[in-house]
Amino acid sequence: MLARANLVLGISAAAIALTSIIALAVFVILPIEDRSADDEAGLIVLAAKTWVELDTARRPAFEIEMVENHDLVVSAEPRDLPYVEEGNRYYDLLASKLNERLDDPVRLMESDELLWANVPMGGYVMQVGISPQRQNIEPVYVGFVIVLFGAVIVPITSGLIVRRVAQPLTRAAEAVEAFRGTEGFQPLPEEGPQELVTLAANFNAMAKNVTELLSNRTTLLAGISHDLRTPLTRMRFALEMLPESVEAKLVERFERNLAAMEELIADALRFSRGAGEAPSQVDFRVYLETVVRDVDEHLDIEWGETPPRPVEIATGAFQRVVANLVRNARQHGSDARMAVDYDGDLVLRVIDDGPGIPPEHREKVFLPFYRLEGSRSRATGGSGLGLAIVAQLCEAHGWRIRLDSSDSGGTVAEVAVPLQDPSASDERNKMTRSRTPREIKL
């Protein structure tokens, strides 16, 4: 904002300076220059005429008076002197005024640091010398001085004016971009103009309410999921104690339902733990290879540009993201592979050769319980929470998740992790970790 304000003010100042220069030249400088040349020409002609009309005895005194009072040298003995070079606007204008008064072409000469003009008068050719003190006035130089000082004054004044507004707005924009409802949010300073103070106060109140709401939701989700394990365990014990006379298929159906409920509870617990996890420093290559071995030891990893080490990342949350993406790829394709690259951001891609996801569904699959299959069967459609948990964890930690088509027609799930300098201050790390895109871009 400060740069834009300086640019606008600078352009405005330049326009005002240009207008001032033109107005100054047209209405002040040029008229004054013309009047000055006309007065100078009139004085030269009058001095020559007066000298001719005076008695011989009084001429020396007149010559002395003209030198002392008017800086004019009047001589009746003309000399051959070099002409002045053309290009001086004032000298050309003075010669033109002399021509008008004498009806004779006059060219100015220079010698002895004086400017001379031959004036034919009363049978004499008077040679009048004047001091060349009146220099040519250049509007360009005036404009250059105005622009130069304006270039210094405008940034300073605009900086003082805009700083009071720009800095609070910049902080507010950064806070809005960084806020994801997690703990550790730094409230905006409530300072500046009254409108910005009100904006900061309302944003701080909203951020506090949202943070508390999300924290309570996560705590409630974790509590319910944890408490449900007890009745589920009792139901499994009761199932084990059923007599052998109970039909085996019925028992198997109950076991599948209990396993499905336990997996749903485990998904909820994994999300609640991962959403609030703090980043830690790891050797990413070693860490990822360990994670992949635990999930699928047959999965190949293609390493491109190796990321720097150490890397700060929420290891538990990222492990759950990788595990869910790999399981999803294995579930929908016969082959899956992983590619890792680094281009300022850490980019991980999980690629499968399955049927792929139509473009119109790539955003919807991140919604809870949304599945492309019409069946609710876990054998074909899963629980519908895998990609939703991936999206929520990515959003909570500032990672970007995107789905695309692979070369074989399958799906490419791409996770981009913005990296930060581990040696930076804790406060800067906190702000960087919480900074996420405004929305999940697919």
Side-chain angles (χ1 to χ4, degrees):
M1 178 179 288
L2 180 59
R4 290 194 298 270
N6 282 336
L7 179 61
V8 171
L9 290 175
I11 294 174
S12 302
I16 293 174
L18 182 61
T19 304
S20 301
I21 293 169
I22 294 174
L24 186 65
V26 172
F27 298 107
V28 179
I29 296 176
L30 297 181
I32 290 177
E33 192 177 37
D34 186 82
R35 180 62 179 271
S36 176
D38 189 65
D39 290 345
E40 193 85 39
L43 182 61
I44 292 173
V45 173
L46 180 62
K49 183 178 181 180
T50 303
W51 187 92
V52 171
E53 293 176 351
L54 287 174
D55 296 337
T56 304
R58 298 179 57 186
R59 288 174 179 172
F62 175 75
E63 294 174 1
I64 295 173
E65 180 183 355
M66 295 304 295
V67 170
E68 292 179 349
N69 296 331
H70 301 285
D71 291 331
L72 256 66
V73 179
V74 181
S75 173
E77 299 177 358
R79 298 172 295 165
D80 291 333
L81 301 175
Y83 294 111
V84 298
E85 296 181 358
E86 296 181 356
N88 188 301
R89 173 180 169 78
Y90 182 75
Y91 292 170
D92 294 341
L93 186 60
L94 178 59
S96 174
K97 296 296 183 181
L98 288 171
N99 292 341
E100 293 176 3
R101 290 179 178 273
L102 298 173
D103 294 329
D104 239 349
V106 176
R107 291 193 63 182
L108 299 180
M109 300 166 289
E110 57 182 347
S111 177
D112 304 327
E113 298 183 354
L114 293 176
L115 192 67
W116 297 88
N118 289 335
V119 181
M121 185 69 63
Y124 293 90
V125 176
M126 305 297 301
Q127 197 166 64
V128 181
I130 59 175
S131 175
Q133 292 180 350
R134 293 183 177 90
Q135 299 296 326
N136 187 26
I137 301 175
E138 293 288 350
V140 175
Y141 296 151
V142 177
F144 177 76
V145 172
I146 294 175
V147 171
L148 179 63
F149 279 94
V152 176
I153 295 172
V154 167
I156 296 176
T157 54
S158 64
L160 295 175
I161 295 172
V162 178
R163 183 179 180 182
R164 181 173 171 81
V165 177
Q167 285 188 344
L169 283 179
T170 301
R171 287 195 298 265
E174 291 176 350
V176 170
E177 184 180 4
F179 178 67
R180 307 310 299 176
T182 56
E183 298 292 340
F185 170 73
Q186 299 294 326
L188 286 174
E190 298 178 11
E191 58 186 18
Q194 182 59 42
E195 293 81 1
L196 294 180
V197 171
T198 303
L199 174 64
N202 290 335
F203 178 79
N204 290 337
M206 180 207 69
K208 180 180 178 182
N209 293 336
V210 171
T211 300
E212 291 178 353
L213 178 63
L214 293 178
S215 177
N216 293 338
R217 183 204 66 176
T218 303
T219 302
L220 180 62
L221 180 62
I224 293 175
S225 302
H226 183 272
D227 291 344
L228 283 175
R229 287 182 175 273
T230 300
L232 283 175
T233 303
R234 292 174 181 171
M235 293 172 66
R236 188 169 290 280
F237 282 156
L239 191 62
E240 292 293 336
M241 296 176 64
L242 288 175
E244 295 181 358
S245 59
V246 178
E247 186 179 354
K249 291 185 178 180
L250 180 61
V251 174
E252 183 182 355
R253 188 186 308 165
F254 273 109
E255 288 178 345
R256 286 200 306 268
N257 290 333
L258 287 174
M261 294 176 66
E262 287 178 344
E263 185 174 347
L264 286 172
I265 292 172
D267 284 343
L269 284 174
R270 282 194 291 268
F271 169 72
S272 63
R273 291 168 183 167
E277 182 183 3
S280 58
Q281 294 183 12
V282 295
D283 185 325
F284 185 78
R285 182 160 188 154
V286 175
Y287 159 74
L288 184 61
E289 289 175 348
T290 303
V291 169
V292 171
R293 280 198 305 270
D294 292 341
V295 177
D296 188 341
E297 60 182 8
H298 302 294
L299 185 69
D300 295 328
I301 304 178
E302 300 173 6
W303 291 95
E305 183 73 20
T306 304
R309 55 171 109 172
V311 167
E312 273 205 358
I313 195 168
T315 54
F318 195 76
Q319 179 180 358
R320 294 178 184 95
V321 168
V322 172
N324 284 6
L325 292 179
V326 171
R327 292 192 185 104
N328 191 72
R330 286 297 193 192
Q331 182 178 359
H332 295 92
S334 59
D335 185 29
R337 57 190 175 89
M338 180 181 295
V340 180
D341 205 352
Y342 171 70
D343 59 355
D345 289 349
L346 183 64
V347 181
L348 179 142
R349 298 180 181 90
V350 178
I351 308 162
D352 65 58
D353 61 350
I357 301 175
E360 64 271 16
H361 291 283
R362 288 175 187 167
E363 184 175 355
K364 297 178 181 178
V365 295
F366 288 106
L367 299 175
F369 304 110
Y370 183 88
R371 294 172 301 184
L372 294 179
E373 295 86 351
S375 171
R376 295 287 295 180
S377 171
R378 295 182 59 81
T380 59
S383 67
L385 288 177
L387 289 179
I389 291 176
V390 168
Q392 292 291 329
L393 290 177
C394 287
E395 185 175 5
H397 292 282
W399 309 330
R400 299 186 299 274
I401 178 71
R402 187 175 69 92
L403 298 180
D404 205 347
S405 297
S406 66
D407 295 336
S408 62
T411 301
V412 177
E414 180 183 286
V415 179
V417 179
L419 297 186
Q420 54 193 329
D421 183 4
S423 63
S425 65
D426 292 341
E427 182 176 354
R428 181 179 175 183
N429 285 344
K430 183 184 298 182
M431 292 297 294
T432 307
R433 286 195 298 269
S434 61
R435 185 169 297 169
T436 67
R438 293 185 179 89
E439 60 181 359
I440 298 173
K441 296 182 179 179
L442 304 177

